[in-house]
Amino acid sequence: MSLWSGRFSGKLDPQAWLLNASLPFDQRMAEQDVRGSMAWAKAIEAAGVLTAAESAELCAGLEKVLAEFQQGAFVFQEEDEDIHTAVERRLKELVGAVGGKLHTGRSRNDQVATDFRLWMLDHLPVLKSALRDLQSALVERAEADFGLLMPGYTHLQRAQPILLSHWWLSHFWALQRDVERLADLSKRVAVLPLGCGALAGTPFNIDRDKLAAALGFLSPSPNSLDAVSDRDFAAEFLFVTAMSGTHLSRFSENMVLFTTAEFGFFELSDAYSTGSSLMPQKKNPDMFELGRGKAGTLLGLLTGLMATLKGLPSTYDKDLQEDKPAVFAAFDTLTVLLPVLANAIRTLKVNPQRMRAGLDPAMLATDLADYLVEKNVPFREAHSAAGKAVAAAAELGTSIEALSLETYQSLHPGFGSDVYSVFDAEKSVSRRKSFGGTAPEAVKVQIEKAKKVIRE
Ligand code: ARG
């Protein structure tokens, strides 16, 4: 029998039942539902609805229900429409008629919003530690690969030499923003809807501040109408996961490129690459292709929930039930993906020669212009002279470091015989030592900063 059957004489159509039921996905909130109910029992006891004995009976029953969930012994019944119904049904089986008093002054509308927020508060740390683990893997690589040079790209064209460690850490900071967004989001998750009833509030004398504190919330929601329909926290969560997915996707796209024969910067370990059923020579970067592909799925989950929310009249509408599959899917996607990416980069082999080979001397054209700047030539003029050197080298089929001094001097009188000292990638890198730059000394500072962030 469903919780609401009193007014009905007919039964719900079986297919309508399937559409309506949320148990297949909301049973993930079983523990939270029980915890919420225990706190509610105490709150209505304090309000004089239950005697101390009744409240103790309910709590003991709820403890048993919780134990059944934890032991995997809880048996769902066909008539369990959602997790709230299932818990209440089982409670009544265990404690008898007094079980029927638990839902006094409460609605599934404030209950589900509470359970969902509790679930999120419980699981934000899980996601955070998965992000932290990938961040740690990036720092480990930055330390292990310290000193190795690689080509840095803009427009996927060779741009300037950089440290590989600097590149690894660039992804660390993107993930750091995701971690910070999760922490910021948790403040808005920790607002308690319980005690708002179906929409208008509860007529019983509930101390909602106390209830909020008992459940680990920062405060009770200030408006009952808003509280039962506010799913901003779910949408925000999906934004954070979509944003993080986008970071992982961009990182993964680089990994796919850098493991090709054409780049050859990295070789993946067998544990994190796959073969082809047809082509025996293939070693495919599937994990990173999935790292790229999952971003699309995560973005879709965000877009889907936003579209669901946008036309809803106040207050609770059943459409809101769509919030949970989206959030759970995003959570599962990242918690499966993140450790794989972390360990894939921990176990890959770097090929310093291939990265070196990518350092074309033309990538030092900016340094060539800076050389003239140091001789007091205005940057625009220096830029043009360096550009002419690149064009002259291309025309002669040689590189800018092979151009004669006469050629250089014909391009600009500021060029002297010391111009050749510019063509040193190591030197180019170590000049960029201001905060956030790619010089080894700046990257060392950055590594320390990253390690500190992880420790905190
Ligand atoms: N399964 C529902 C949900 O996830 C629970 C709330 C049901 N409320 C109601 N008035 N039917 O939103």
Side-chain angles (χ1 to χ4, degrees):
M1 227 178 15
S2 53
L3 296 174
W4 38 263
S5 56
R7 133 186 236 305
F8 291 81
S9 46
K11 261 188 83 167
L12 192 64
D13 168 85
Q15 285 184 310
W17 172 269
L18 271 185
L19 173 65
N20 192 52
S22 53
L23 187 69
F25 49 87
D26 67 17
Q27 55 180 278
R28 285 179 76 150
M29 308 190 305
E31 268 198 55
Q32 289 77 21
D33 192 76
V34 175
R35 263 163 54 208
S37 287
M38 286 176 175
W40 184 246
K42 288 181 190 124
I44 55 175
E45 177 199 340
V49 174
L50 298 178
T51 64
E54 286 172 327
S55 161
E57 249 183 287
L58 287 182
C59 286
L62 287 164
E63 289 284 4
K64 279 192 206 144
V65 175
L66 184 61
E68 288 186 1
F69 279 121
Q70 286 165 344
Q71 291 154 10
F74 190 98
V75 183
F76 288 108
Q77 303 294 335
E78 237 175 85
E79 73 271 17
D80 294 342
E81 173 185 329
D82 54 29
I83 190 62
H84 327 295
T85 316
V87 169
E88 198 175 321
R89 190 253 318 143
R90 182 66 186 136
L91 178 66
K92 282 186 214 148
E93 286 168 6
L94 290 168
V95 304
V98 66
K101 290 197 172 185
L102 175 65
H103 209 56
T104 314
R106 185 176 72 171
S107 155
R108 278 182 300 161
N109 297 353
D110 57 346
Q111 188 180 1
V112 72
T114 300
D115 290 4
F116 197 21
R117 285 169 184 265
L118 273 175
W119 184 91
M120 196 173 280
L121 290 173
D122 286 346
H123 290 80
L124 288 178
V126 178
L127 189 52
K128 177 184 169 181
S129 68
L131 285 163
R132 277 281 183 257
D133 183 49
L134 177 54
Q135 287 186 294
S136 298
L138 289 163
V139 174
E140 288 160 34
R141 283 256 58 126
E143 290 198 289
D145 301 335
F146 195 78
L148 299 180
L149 265 57
M150 74 183 290
Y153 299 85
T154 62
H155 310 267
L156 204 55
Q157 307 290 318
R158 289 173 179 174
Q160 288 176 337
I162 57 171
L163 283 193
L164 173 57
S165 303
H166 195 46
W167 185 79
W168 288 124
L169 291 175
S170 66
H171 301 288
F172 174 96
W173 296 110
L175 297 175
Q176 179 55 22
R177 294 191 293 277
D178 299 331
V179 169
E180 287 168 14
R181 270 186 274 270
L182 285 181
D184 188 65
L185 159 66
S186 77
K187 291 183 287 192
R188 283 178 295 285
V189 185
V191 176
L192 178 76
L194 198 58
C196 286
L199 75 160
T202 188
F204 300 96
N205 187 22
I206 303 293
D207 183 342
R208 293 190 64 223
D209 285 301
K210 207 167 152 196
L211 185 57
L215 284 168
F217 285 77
L218 296 172
S219 61
S221 52
N223 180 303
S224 64
L225 305 178
D226 179 43
V228 295
S229 62
D230 169 18
R231 294 296 183 276
D232 294 11
F233 67 98
E236 274 191 64
F237 177 85
L238 292 175
F239 171 74
V240 178
T241 53
M243 188 72 249
S244 197
T246 299
H247 290 144
L248 299 175
S249 177
R250 296 183 62 184
F251 172 61
S252 296
E253 165 62 4
N254 269 297
M255 296 304 292
V256 170
L257 280 174
F258 291 170
T259 52
T260 57
E262 283 72 11
F263 278 85
F265 294 174
F266 305 140
E267 194 193 328
L268 298 176
S269 78
D270 288 357
Y272 296 98
S273 45
T274 58
S276 157
S277 56
L278 177 72
M279 299 164 285
Q281 85 284 7
K282 290 296 285 293
K283 190 166 182 184
N284 295 328
D286 296 40
M287 306 310 138
F288 291 102
E289 293 168 86
L290 289 164
R292 191 176 54 193
K294 296 290 183 190
T297 304
L298 291 166
L299 175 60
L301 293 169
L302 169 65
T303 313
L305 185 64
M306 291 296 284
T308 297
L309 295 178
K310 75 169 271 297
L312 295 185
S314 42
T315 57
Y316 178 85
D317 300 278
K318 193 61 170 259
D319 319 44
L320 292 172
Q321 182 166 283
E322 296 297 311
D323 55 2
K324 285 171 289 295
V327 164
F328 295 155
F331 176 82
D332 292 342
T333 298
L334 283 182
T335 48
V336 170
L337 176 63
L338 285 162
V340 173
L341 297 187
N343 292 327
I345 69 165
R346 282 188 174 105
T347 53
L348 60 75
K349 269 211 325 260
V350 174
N351 189 336
Q353 292 76 30
R354 290 301 303 262
M355 296 192 304
R356 264 269 156 195
L359 294 178
D360 165 356
M363 296 174 76
L364 299 169
T366 314
D367 297 77
L368 189 60
D370 291 344
Y371 162 94
L372 288 179
V373 167
E374 268 164 41
K375 307 217 160 174
N376 213 18
V377 177
F379 179 72
R380 279 292 147 235
E381 191 181 323
H383 183 279
S384 154
K388 282 183 189 141
V390 172
E395 200 166 305
L396 293 168
T398 182
S399 86
I400 54 171
E401 61 182 336
L403 291 175
S404 68
L405 183 57
E406 293 72 53
T407 308
Y408 268 114
Q409 284 175 335
S410 73
L411 296 174
H412 198 287
F415 284 121
S417 58
D418 58 347
V419 64
Y420 298 99
S421 69
V422 164
F423 304 115
D424 178 344
E426 244 92 22
K427 217 171 90 185
S428 161
V429 164
S430 58
R431 288 175 62 222
R432 291 169 166 77
K433 55 177 182 280
S434 61
F435 180 74
T438 199
E441 59 178 282
V443 173
K444 265 214 179 93
V445 171
Q446 201 187 144
I447 290 175
E448 286 318 309
K449 206 173 153 62
K451 284 168 128 179
K452 198 166 151 230
V453 161
I454 289 179
R455 275 196 307 270
E456 272 159 13

